[in-house]
Amino acid sequence: MGAIADRLGVAKSTAYLWVRHLPLDRDGAAERERRRAHSKVMTDAQWAAHRQARDAARAELAEFGAAWVSRLDGRELLLVGAALYWAEGVKAKPWRPHDCRVRFTNSDPVLIDLFVRFVEELGVPRGGLRFRVCIHETADANAAVRWWARQVGVAVEAFQRTSLKRHRPATVRHNIGDGYHGCLVVSVPDSRRMYWAIEGIMKGMSDGVGRVGR
């Protein structure tokens, strides 16, 4: 309306009287975007209360669970740590039955911390462990090493050479941005006997589960 009035040198009210009977073309890309934005606003408003209640319930249950756990004693830490390692750690293969090395890889700092505490409970200080970051080559590898060093409480100099994963342009990756720090590999030197101990703990846990209810 304003463009018509300016082009013809008339008042906007006059231009409106001339074109008010004409239908507006609302089938273009701009109109579709307007409708999409309006729909999103309406949906967000409709679900806002539900999301707030969901988030509050999640936070409440998380706090309850954390308070219930409180602090793991030595035996609990050994049981949980052995199960964690057996699920996520490197294990001997049928074709390499005597390759018993304790090595744990994960991207979750909570699980890394739990594993390191488990190893310490077995008598190996974290200063005796080997750490290595594994990360995509497009990320900031040096920043990732510094971040993981803070998480595990050791010096950057204690880390081994970083392993870089080659970038594949055809792969759509979601683990990007400031929150991406790659994976941390934690290795225990001379760990055959520790591996055997973990193996034994898992056997005991399996046998114990089999006896439940008998």
Side-chain angles (χ1 to χ4, degrees):
M1 193 69 65
I4 295 175
D6 293 341
R7 183 70 177 271
L8 298 178
V10 298
K12 291 182 180 179
S13 58
T14 301
Y16 170 73
L17 292 175
W18 290 347
V19 300
R20 62 182 178 180
H21 63 287
L22 299 176
L24 295 177
D25 180 11
R26 293 186 177 274
D27 295 327
E31 176 60 17
R32 290 194 295 272
E33 177 61 23
R34 185 193 68 80
R35 290 179 178 175
R36 187 200 64 77
H38 176 72
S39 176
K40 183 178 185 304
V41 169
M42 297 299 293
T43 301
D44 287 347
Q46 179 181 0
W47 287 98
H50 167 75
R51 290 168 179 154
Q52 290 175 359
R54 176 201 61 195
D55 294 344
R58 180 179 182 177
E60 181 181 0
L61 284 175
E63 289 296 327
F64 175 81
W68 178 78
V69 172
S70 184
R71 182 178 179 83
L72 298 178
D73 61 27
R75 184 176 186 276
E76 292 171 338
L77 183 56
L78 290 178
L79 295 175
V80 172
L84 171 64
Y85 183 81
W86 216 243
E88 296 286 331
V90 174
K91 294 182 287 293
K93 306 298 183 184
W95 56 91
R96 292 200 312 266
H98 302 298
D99 186 10
C100 302
R101 294 175 293 174
V102 176
R103 185 169 69 247
F104 184 81
T105 304
N106 213 274
S107 62
D108 188 335
V110 174
L111 297 185
I112 290 290
D113 178 66
L114 184 57
F115 174 72
V116 171
R117 289 166 53 201
F118 163 69
V119 170
E120 289 179 319
E121 189 67 25
L122 287 172
V124 179
R126 67 183 62 203
L129 303 177
R130 295 173 182 166
F131 300 95
R132 177 168 49 86
V133 172
C134 184
I135 195 169
H136 286 275
E137 62 181 350
T138 55
D140 190 338
N142 292 330
V145 171
R146 293 193 298 270
W147 187 86
W148 278 113
R150 290 193 299 271
Q151 301 304 309
V152 296
V154 300
V156 170
E157 292 72 20
F159 277 62
Q160 296 178 314
R161 183 177 180 179
T162 300
S163 294
L164 296 178
K165 300 178 182 179
R166 297 304 176 189
H167 177 61
R168 296 181 180 178
T171 302
V172 178
R173 291 177 47 228
H174 300 284
N175 53 344
I176 58 177
D178 295 338
Y180 173 58
H181 308 290
C183 295
L184 184 65
V185 182
V186 184
S187 302
V188 184
D190 303 320
S191 52
R192 177 178 293 183
R193 295 186 67 84
M194 179 180 290
Y195 184 94
W196 294 345
I198 296 172
E199 196 172 41
I201 293 172
M202 291 306 301
K203 182 180 185 306
M205 291 176 66
S206 177
D207 291 347
V209 170
R211 290 192 297 269
V212 171
R214 292 183 181 178

